[in-house]
Amino acid sequence: MPLRRLPPLNALRAFEAVARCGSFKQAADELHVTPAALSQQVKKLEQDLGVSLLSRQNRNVVPTVEGMRLKTGLTDAFLRIRESVESLGGDPERKNIVVSCGPPVASKWLAPRMGRFIDQHPDVHVSIASKLELVDFHSEDIDVGIRLSRDNTEDLDRTWLYEETVVPLCSPEFAARHRLREPKDILRVPILRDDGLSYCRGPVWELWFAEAGLSVAGANRGAYFGHAPEQAIDAAVAGAGMVIASKTLASADLANQRLVIPFGPEIGMGVRYQLVHRPRREPSPHLDAFKNWVKRELVPYQPPGNTVPNFPNFALA
């Protein structure tokens, strides 16, 4: 049977982008062309292949069964092409890795520690790709991700770490000024709220108030920082109030005594940190070095000397 002549590469690239993005406009922005031009290329591709590749549903565009089969192969193929091109030229000794993580993890956990990794691995060059959405490792230029999520698809290699927990935090001066000694004292001070971990079990301040035996009605007050827990933590460092926040994100501030945990309880969020990347076809020593470093660094915060703070219901993560 004679081989079918391949369609134009531009048409295949246009279809793959639209199918992956689910939108002609987003795909057009990515490829720096007009949506109309993409539409024409996809329509011509469908005519050449004799099958319908896309289905328009409301404002979204989704692949048909045939389109999904084609999209899966094309996405992998374009990724391999990109990897092949990037492997050419440049300094053969230069080792680059692109790390994906959310803005809170990037600013409050990774950035304060990057100097340690650089000191240990000066030949590895790290680029941080920070955004709230989960990245698609099969279509985006990402080597490894630090995630706090429940996703558990089988198309990625995963290293599971520990469960996230939250605790009440404030600056040492704030704790002393307001004489914070037990959970009910939080009712006397401003609360700094955010929705950074609300996707886990709900608003963390409401969960903490319920766990501490306090009326949840007392939790819905104070400054609100949306999906930016790093801003709420920084406000607490500046003495603006108390925050119920990730002990992991606040670990550098706790270690440097910019924040303290005046009382408990500490509660689990039911979601674990993980390191994720697409399956590798060959060894990558510099990627392994970064993963091993993260596994050593991304551990539950322990008070100096491994002493347990003197507040009720405290349990080490």
Side-chain angles (χ1 to χ4, degrees):
M1 180 179 179
L3 293 175
R4 170 184 282 178
R5 183 172 59 87
L6 287 177
L9 184 61
N10 282 344
L12 295 173
R13 189 72 182 95
F15 163 73
E16 190 276 338
V18 174
R20 173 166 44 80
C21 295
S23 162
F24 278 96
K25 184 181 185 306
Q26 290 184 30
D29 290 342
E30 178 180 303
L31 299 179
H32 305 290
V33 297
T34 66
L38 285 187
S39 180
Q40 288 298 319
Q41 288 182 315
V42 172
K43 186 179 298 184
K44 182 65 167 57
L45 179 63
E46 290 177 320
Q47 292 172 353
D48 290 344
L49 297 178
V51 295
S52 175
L53 298 174
L54 295 174
S55 173
R56 290 162 177 78
Q57 299 180 1
N58 296 325
R59 297 183 178 180
N60 297 323
V61 181
V62 297
T64 63
V65 174
E66 293 82 2
M68 181 57 73
R69 188 162 51 200
L70 180 61
K71 180 258 182 189
T72 301
L74 288 176
T75 297
D76 185 62
F78 284 125
L79 181 62
R80 292 191 184 195
I81 291 172
R82 183 185 300 118
E83 290 176 344
S84 297
V85 172
E86 290 176 350
S87 69
L88 300 176
D91 181 358
E93 299 301 318
R94 184 179 177 88
K95 304 176 180 67
N96 300 304
I97 57 173
V98 182
V99 179
S100 168
C101 59
V105 172
S107 66
K108 296 302 295 181
W109 187 87
L110 185 55
R113 293 168 171 81
M114 276 307 302
R116 301 179 193 173
F117 180 79
I118 293 170
D119 287 343
Q120 296 170 26
H121 305 277
D123 59 333
V124 180
H125 300 264
V126 179
S127 298
I128 310 300
S130 172
K131 64 179 183 178
L132 288 173
E133 301 80 10
L134 294 183
V135 302
D136 183 350
F137 281 87
H138 299 290
S139 62
E140 299 184 51
D141 238 353
I142 303 295
D143 294 302
V144 63
I146 303 172
R147 285 184 176 177
L148 180 64
S149 67
R150 294 191 179 95
D151 67 297
N152 192 22
T153 57
E154 296 180 354
D155 61 327
L156 296 174
D157 284 346
R158 300 175 185 275
T159 301
W160 292 94
L161 302 174
Y162 68 97
E163 181 186 4
E164 177 66 288
T165 64
V166 297
V167 290
L169 299 160
C170 64
S171 71
E173 297 78 12
F174 187 90
R177 184 168 71 251
H178 293 280
R179 299 184 179 182
L180 301 177
R181 296 187 177 89
E182 54 184 327
K184 69 178 182 180
D185 291 340
I186 199 173
L187 300 174
R188 298 188 281 102
V189 299
I191 300 175
L192 310 171
R193 300 173 297 132
D194 69 84
D195 272 321
L197 290 173
S198 292
Y199 68 92
C200 300
R201 294 175 52 202
V204 294
W205 59 90
E206 294 185 3
L207 293 170
W208 186 88
F209 267 63
E211 185 75 15
L214 303 174
S215 172
V216 175
N220 295 310
R221 58 190 175 84
Y224 174 65
F225 293 86
H227 291 279
E230 67 276 24
Q231 296 178 11
I233 292 173
D234 286 344
V237 170
M242 288 200 70
V243 63
I244 312 297
S246 157
K247 196 170 68 169
T248 301
L249 296 186
S251 57
D253 293 313
L254 286 165
N256 290 309
Q257 299 184 336
R258 292 188 292 263
L259 289 175
V260 295
I261 308 171
F263 42 69
E266 176 177 0
I267 61 175
M269 297 308 297
V271 63
R272 294 165 62 190
Y273 286 95
Q274 54 175 309
L275 285 166
V276 298
H277 57 82
R278 57 181 175 269
R280 290 179 288 177
R281 301 182 182 90
E282 56 187 37
S284 177
H286 53 289
L287 181 56
D288 287 337
F290 183 80
K291 287 177 59 180
N292 291 333
W293 175 79
V294 172
K295 286 189 287 185
R296 292 192 301 270
E297 291 282 340
L298 190 56
V299 294
Y301 169 78
Q302 298 284 2
N306 294 323
T307 58
V308 179
N310 182 26
F311 57 73
N313 302 324
F314 182 87
L316 293 179

